[in-house]
Amino acid sequence: MRKTKKLIATALGLALAVCLAACDYIGGKTITVDLSSVNGVQAGDEVFFAGVQIGRTGTPDVVAGRAKIPVHLLRRHENALPDGAVFVVKAGDAQDQSTKLVGYDLGKSVTRAPDGSYPGFSNELEMAMALGASLAQDFWKMIDSQQR
């Protein structure tokens, strides 16, 4: 009887620890990032905005010829994204080979799609076609300078 109570108490303590560890994802919300190609993004990749990890990617899907990547935002960051947010696929480097989605605020110059998804870009040409060459070039220079 004593061993049973101890086992139950241990199991409850372990369950509580797991719940607390997952608490940040419980109650958060999911957004969608729209890309022409996933370019290596996989389920579980980190998502950043303003240098802070705000969530993780879900399993990418294809809808009407476009890659749709669900992003599960941490509960404390569920309202962190401004309307002008865009996402860029960042390939890993020699030290960190994981792919990431990194968000930036372009202000009112970018609008979300009718389905509410956020725009995403995998390269400068794709961004230039969507935003205009001048804005895309300035934006890409800013991204390059942050990688160094």
Side-chain angles (χ1 to χ4, degrees), residues 17-113:
V18 168
C19 286
L20 290 175
C23 189
D24 233 354
Y25 286 97
I26 297 171
K29 74 177 183 181
T30 301
I31 63 161
T32 302
V33 175
D34 178 71
L35 294 160
S36 63
S37 171
V38 294
N39 288 341
V41 175
Q42 299 176 1
D45 286 342
E46 296 173 329
V47 179
F48 291 87
F49 191 83
V52 176
Q53 183 182 352
I54 61 169
R56 291 197 175 272
T57 58
T59 303
D61 200 6
V62 176
V63 177
R66 302 277 304 168
K68 301 287 185 172
I69 301 175
V71 173
H72 308 293
L73 298 176
L74 298 170
R75 185 172 40 121
R76 67 180 179 266
H77 298 301
E78 65 182 275
N79 297 313
L81 297 177
D83 286 335
V86 299
F87 287 86
V88 176
V89 176
K90 301 279 282 226
D93 55 24
Q95 294 173 327
D96 178 12
Q97 296 183 1
S98 64
T99 302
K100 297 172 180 53
L101 274 182
V102 180
Y104 298 92
D105 183 8
L106 292 186
K108 300 297 180 192
S109 60
V110 175
T111 57
R112 293 187 359 214

Side-chain angles (χ1 to χ4, degrees), residues 128-147:
M129 289 172 44
L131 302 178
S134 178
L135 179 61
Q137 187 176 31
D138 292 345
F139 180 67
W140 213 258
K141 283 179 186 174
M142 177 189 68
I143 291 172
D144 284 343
S145 70
Q146 291 175 354
Q147 289 180 340

